Each structure stands twice: as C-alpha cells, then as structure tokens.
Amino acid sequence: MIGFLRKNFPPSVTADTVRKLGLASKNESYVINVLQFLGIIDEAGKRTEIGHKVLTLHDEEQFTPAFGKLVKDAYADLFGIRGDEAWTMSKDDLIGYFRSADKTSEIIGSRQAGVFTALSELSGHSVGSSTATKVKPTTLSRAKRSSRKIGATASTQPAEAYAATLSTTEKSKSEMAFTVRIEINLPAEGTAETYDTIFKSIRANLFP
C-alpha cells in the first residue's frame, strides 16, 4: 500500500481504495487503520500534509529516514522504552511488548509485531536475527530450484521462511489421504436382473 501511495497519493484513501488496488482482501480496514495510526491519513481518510510530504519523496535516501520518523512518532512508547534497539527487536520480544502494553491475545500481538516489522523494513531496518528460521544449505537450494519450477517469487519473502513453508507443504501432501465412499440404495421390489444391471453399471463406470 505504501508503494502505491508513493506512486500516486489521492486526496482521500478509504477501504474502497485499498479494495480497488487489489490489496489485503477482506482486511482493507486494517490497512486504513495503520495509515491513520502513522498519521499518513486522518480519521476521515484524507491525506495529511506530513503524509503527503513524506510519501512523495522520490529519493530513497530521503524517504527512508523520513518514513522512519513517522514510525518512531507513532510508536513513541516503544521507542521511549527500548530506544533505537526497537528497530531490530525479535518477533518474540515485539509480541511480548504489544501483549503487555495493549493487553491483547497472542494472535493480535503477533499481528501487531508483524505490522511493526514491515514498517521497520520500510524504514531501512532489519528484524532481529533471533527470529530467522535456520535451514540447511541443501534444503534452501532445493527450495530455490522448486520455486523456479512452480513460478514462485522467492525474493518476496525471506528465503528461510520460504524453504520452511515449502517443506511443510510437501510434508502435508505426502500425508494426505483420499477416501471415496459409495452408498447404493437397492429397490426392495427389484429383481435379480435389476440388481445385476445396477452392479454392471457401477463396474463399468467406476472401475474401467
């Protein structure tokens, strides 16, 4: 969404705007909430002066710190406690902070941590190394080869996470079972010839 707004920032941004862009299906309101939280748009969905100023910065070297300033201002409490270390906190630490600060569930805390991580990366910072999934080089190479075969874009997510996801998917496929149950209601008044015809039809159509 930030990428789209940097290309074209309309005077008003609503859930319908997000929907028309084809982003965050059925979660458009969450995107709007984040934009409002950062002060990029106001409560009515109209772009703010600071939001327009930052998102129209073409030079990445200017945009990154300016966007980071929006994030720091929005998360003033977190940065007031952890300082610049907040940029690289692990996901577990972030979940712990948000659950404690907002009295939220693990699921909500995880989503909050995910949003902050995404905003941190847009601000030029990387997540804590403790959250990275460790994958053997051979597994990672196999995942990259597989991604090219199925047309996946591995660069859109961390390679380690992609490999782990691929491994889980392959495991699920190997454990999948498929069962077909056939129920036949035979007419009580049917003759032997009727039953023979029914079973011949089943044999011809289901077991060619």
Side-chain angles (χ1 to χ4, degrees), residues 100-113:
S100 175
D102 299 337
K103 304 297 186 295
T104 58
S105 65
E106 182 178 358
I107 293 177
I108 299 300
S110 180
R111 291 176 180 173
Q112 290 174 304

Side-chain angles (χ1 to χ4, degrees), residues 116-134:
F116 180 79
T117 297
L119 297 176
S120 295
E121 291 176 351
L122 284 171
S123 303
H125 302 278
S126 300
V127 296
S129 58
S130 61
T131 60
T133 304
K134 296 182 179 179

